[in-house]
Amino acid sequence: MNSEGNPMQRLSMHLSPRCGARTRSGTPCSSPAMPNGRCRMHGGSSPGAPKGQANGMFKHGRFTNEAIARRRNLNAWISAMRRMAEEIT
């Protein structure tokens, strides 16, 4: 097929580097590669969360010390109210 006359061959997604991993049949994977050189199926493990104190920036609030203390206080209050209700009945 003539690639000059076929506009699909000129798109940047078709010109991107390919994965390079081998499929189970032994042929090279034809999916476009990510920056690490592999496609999304063969990309390997995730780099994970940031190391050290940088990971603390992403704490959402449920597990902050204040929220934990507030829940413990509320649960203690509810338990006390239940004990009082059992004593009355």
Side-chain angles (χ1 to χ4, degrees):
M1 199 172 219
N2 186 0
S3 63
E4 293 175 7
N6 188 355
M8 294 302 285
Q9 296 296 326
R10 291 181 284 184
L11 294 175
S12 62
M13 65 184 205
H14 294 291
L15 300 175
S16 64
R18 298 290 137 182
C19 172
R22 293 280 174 187
T23 62
R24 292 191 295 180
S25 64
T27 60
C29 178
S30 59
S31 297
M34 297 186 297
N36 67 355
R38 296 289 185 226
C39 69
R40 61 188 175 87
M41 278 93 53
H42 299 113
S45 62
S46 169
K51 303 288 185 227
Q53 291 296 331
N55 200 18
M57 290 190 296
F58 302 114
K59 195 174 278 190
H60 53 71
R62 181 181 167 104
F63 296 105
T64 59
N65 290 335
E66 295 85 18
I68 293 170
R70 192 177 320 121
R71 283 196 303 273
R72 286 180 179 161
N73 189 14
L74 181 60
N75 286 336
W77 187 79
I78 291 171
S79 296
M81 295 302 288
R82 285 183 179 157
R83 282 193 303 272
M84 290 173 63
E86 288 175 0
E87 290 176 3
I88 293 174
T89 56

